[in-house]
């Protein structure tokens, strides 16, 4: 599958735990990467300092679905399933 140019879901939905330019402590899930331009294209796509987690991501139908909205939903769900995104604390957690 070819990446949908301008989608950007893989640069928004998942967390990135490694440091990258402009994100020295990584990037939380659901936060737009600072390297996405106004057209949702990665400004460091061909740069050697692009993180391995980014360059290793391959667009597949399983990950990206058939629309940007599906990609956001799938990748966000993967964050929850892998424990990368921590649930919000409840009142019971504070006691």
């Amino acid at each position: 599958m070819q990446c949908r140019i301008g989608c950007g879901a893989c640069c928004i939905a998942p967390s990135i735990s490694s440091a990258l330019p402009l994100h020295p402590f990584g990037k939380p899930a659901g936060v737009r990467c600072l390297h996405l331009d106004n057209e949702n294209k990665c400004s460091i796509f061909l740069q050697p300092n692009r993180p391995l987690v980014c360059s290793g991501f391959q667009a597949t139908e399983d990950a990206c679905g058939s629309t940007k909205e599906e990609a956001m939903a799938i990748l966000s769900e993967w964050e929850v399933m892998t424990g990368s995104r921590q649930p919000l604390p409840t009142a019971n957690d504070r006691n």
Side-chain angles (χ1 to χ4, degrees):
M1 168 178 182
Q2 292 292 320
C3 182
R4 283 188 295 275
I5 303 300
C7 172
C10 60
C11 302
I12 300 168
S15 60
I16 299 175
S17 59
S18 59
L20 65 150
L22 301 179
H23 294 281
F25 303 105
K27 182 196 84 62
V31 173
R32 180 183 176 80
C33 179
L34 296 174
H35 295 286
L36 282 179
D37 66 16
N38 290 338
E39 297 175 343
N40 280 346
K41 295 179 186 173
C42 177
S43 64
I44 61 169
F45 189 80
L46 298 176
Q47 301 298 317
N49 59 347
R50 183 173 171 221
L52 290 176
V53 68
C54 298
S55 60
F57 181 81
Q58 298 294 310
T60 65
E61 191 171 336
D62 289 347
C64 303
S66 58
T67 65
K68 175 185 178 175
E69 293 74 25
E70 284 183 18
M72 287 292 294
I74 292 167
L75 295 173
S76 295
E77 181 63 22
W78 285 4
E79 280 289 317
V80 172
M81 290 171 51
T82 60
S84 298
R85 178 180 281 175
Q86 298 299 315
L88 294 174
T90 65
N92 291 337
D93 295 332
R94 295 184 198 125
N95 296 329

